[in-house]
């Protein structure tokens, strides 16, 4: 999936936030609190996974339009679908 400029900036912001949360988790593990550190590391991973997988608000109208188009009689799926 190609990302535009805004998508790349959103990903960079998520990486910076996840890096801060990761450092907090590593610090807690180093201080002898592995449970709290593991929670913070899990949050950092979840932040990056959600950013990578979840659709952005600008993708939703296009997905709705594609489904509506394919639901119409004679409409083709968004990927080109069937060859005649």
């Amino acid at each position: 999936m190609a990302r535009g400029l805004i998508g790349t900036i959103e990903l960079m912001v998520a990486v910076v936030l996840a890096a801060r949360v990761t450092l907090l988790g590593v610090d807690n593990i180093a201080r002898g609190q592995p449970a709290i550190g593991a929670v913070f590391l899990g949050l950092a991973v979840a932040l990056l996974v959600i950013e990578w997988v979840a659709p952005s608000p600008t993708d939703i109208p296009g997905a709705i339009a594609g489904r509506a188009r394919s639901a119409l009689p004679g409409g083709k799926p968004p990927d080109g679908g069937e060859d005649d």
Side-chain angles (χ1 to χ4, degrees), residues 76-84:
K76 294 183 179 179
D79 62 354
E82 306 164 7
D83 292 331
D84 293 85

Side-chain angles (χ1 to χ4, degrees), residues 54-72:
S56 69
T58 58
D59 294 340
I60 295 171
I64 292 172
R67 285 187 180 184
R69 182 179 55 218
S70 65
L72 294 174

Side-chain angles (χ1 to χ4, degrees), residues 1 5 8 18-19 21 26 31 34 40-41 45 54-55 60-61 64 68 74 78 81 84:
M1 176 172 82
L5 179 63
T8 302
V21 174
V26 169
R31 290 176 186 245
F40 283 121
L41 292 176
V45 169
I60 295 171
I64 292 172
D84 293 85

Side-chain angles (χ1 to χ4, degrees), residues 4-84:
L5 179 63
I6 301 298
T8 302
I9 292 172
E10 290 173 353
L11 182 62
M12 290 186 329
V13 168
V15 167
V16 168
L17 291 175
R20 307 255 338 215
V21 174
T22 300
L23 289 174
L24 185 59
V26 169
D27 183 52
N28 278 312
I29 290 172
R31 290 176 186 245
Q33 299 173 336
I36 296 174
V39 168
F40 283 121
L41 292 176
L43 287 173
V45 169
L47 179 67
L48 291 176
V49 168
I50 288 171
E51 172 62 34
W52 188 258
V53 174
S56 69
T58 58
D59 294 340
I60 295 171
I64 292 172
R67 285 187 180 184
R69 182 179 55 218
S70 65
L72 294 174
K76 294 183 179 179
D79 62 354
E82 306 164 7
D83 292 331
D84 293 85

